[in-house]
Amino acid sequence: MKSALRSCPALGYGAVRVIRNIVFTSILGLSVAAGAVFAETPRILALGDSLTAGYGLPQDEGFVPQLQAWLDKNGAKAQVLNAGVSGDTTAGGAARLEWALASGAEGLIVNLGGNDMLRGLDPSVARANLTQILQAAQDKGLPVLLVGMIAPSNYGADYKTEFEAIFPELSAQFNTLLLPVYFAPIAAQDGGIDPTFMQDDGIHPNAEGVLRVVAAMGPKVLELLAQTGG
């Protein structure tokens, strides 16, 4: 376009410069507007372990893609960021929170504790790590949806009671939203988990299981988005 303007005898240098500036300003204006639209989309960071990462599932059938699809279908303006790391404990989540938030987020989903429980780690340690995460979120003014876990009875009644109390008590302490039990939507009548909705390892939900979990969690995520102003 610049060479074409220069070849036109009816236009002097001053006119060319004016037109060039108008074109540049228009392009810049469009870029800024596009950036503003993107910035107005609330980003929700999903901090978790393999349940969040989508272990054992095709990329579009994991928790984060399915939650994103649920939000899109329900007209929610949001971007869900996958900060799930398979095998992560609450300690790992606490250690990488600042890094995970470095790209920015307006809300936080915390789904950690399952690996602490599977390893039989002291519930007081999991509580301390989750407290660190929630305190950091509170300091940054981030609303949080805390996802709870239950413990099997084979660790003993005391362990089960202490572990399961972590989530509602911390939710009350930090005034977060709470989904009491991640696996509740795919629970069996005997109190276990329906194998129909699980992968062969018996630990991770299959695509249909994730779909049910997302359907149950979705309204809570809408509440979270409302707290971000989105």
Side-chain angles (χ1 to χ4, degrees):
M1 181 175 180
K2 188 173 180 181
S3 60
L5 289 172
R6 282 180 171 172
S7 66
C8 181
L11 292 174
Y13 174 74
V16 170
R17 182 174 59 183
V18 169
I19 294 174
R20 181 190 64 194
N21 289 343
I22 290 173
V23 171
F24 176 77
T25 302
S26 299
I27 294 173
L28 179 61
L30 290 172
S31 298
V32 170
V37 170
F38 181 79
E40 289 173 359
T41 302
R43 292 158 296 182
I44 302 299
L45 184 76
L47 182 72
D49 49 34
S50 55
L51 297 177
T52 300
Y55 176 86
L57 295 172
Q59 187 173 2
D60 61 343
E61 294 181 354
F63 170 78
V64 169
Q66 290 213 49
L67 177 59
Q68 184 70 65
W70 188 95
L71 292 172
D72 293 345
K73 181 179 178 180
N74 284 272
K77 190 177 182 181
Q79 179 187 15
V80 187
L81 307 176
N82 194 339
V85 173
S86 295
D88 222 359
T89 60
T90 55
R96 62 187 174 86
L97 178 62
E98 290 295 330
W99 174 83
L101 289 171
S103 60
E106 285 68 52
L108 183 65
I109 299 172
V110 179
N111 185 12
L112 288 163
N115 287 312
D116 298 63
M117 176 269 294
L118 289 173
R119 299 177 190 183
L121 301 181
D122 190 332
S124 66
V125 175
R127 180 185 288 269
N129 293 328
L130 288 171
T131 297
Q132 180 180 335
I133 291 170
L134 297 180
Q135 185 64 63
Q138 187 177 82
D139 292 344
K140 295 177 183 295
L142 296 177
V144 175
L145 169 59
L146 181 61
V147 181
M149 283 281 162
I150 58 174
S153 57
N154 57 299
Y155 291 126
D158 290 345
Y159 184 100
K160 182 177 177 65
T161 299
E162 185 178 356
F163 179 83
E164 293 178 2
I166 294 172
F167 304 95
E169 290 178 2
L170 287 184
S171 179
Q173 178 181 342
F174 288 93
N175 193 30
T176 76
L177 294 166
L178 176 67
L179 186 75
V181 182
Y182 175 89
F183 285 106
I186 54 177
Q189 292 184 349
D190 62 3
I193 302 174
D194 190 335
T196 304
F197 305 111
M198 298 296 288
Q199 297 182 42
D200 292 341
D201 62 11
I203 297 175
H204 301 92
N206 57 27
E208 179 61 29
V210 172
L211 181 65
R212 289 175 177 246
V213 170
V214 164
M217 192 185 298
K220 288 288 186 181
V221 179
L222 293 181
E223 291 183 52
L224 182 67
L225 285 170
Q227 292 185 9
T228 71

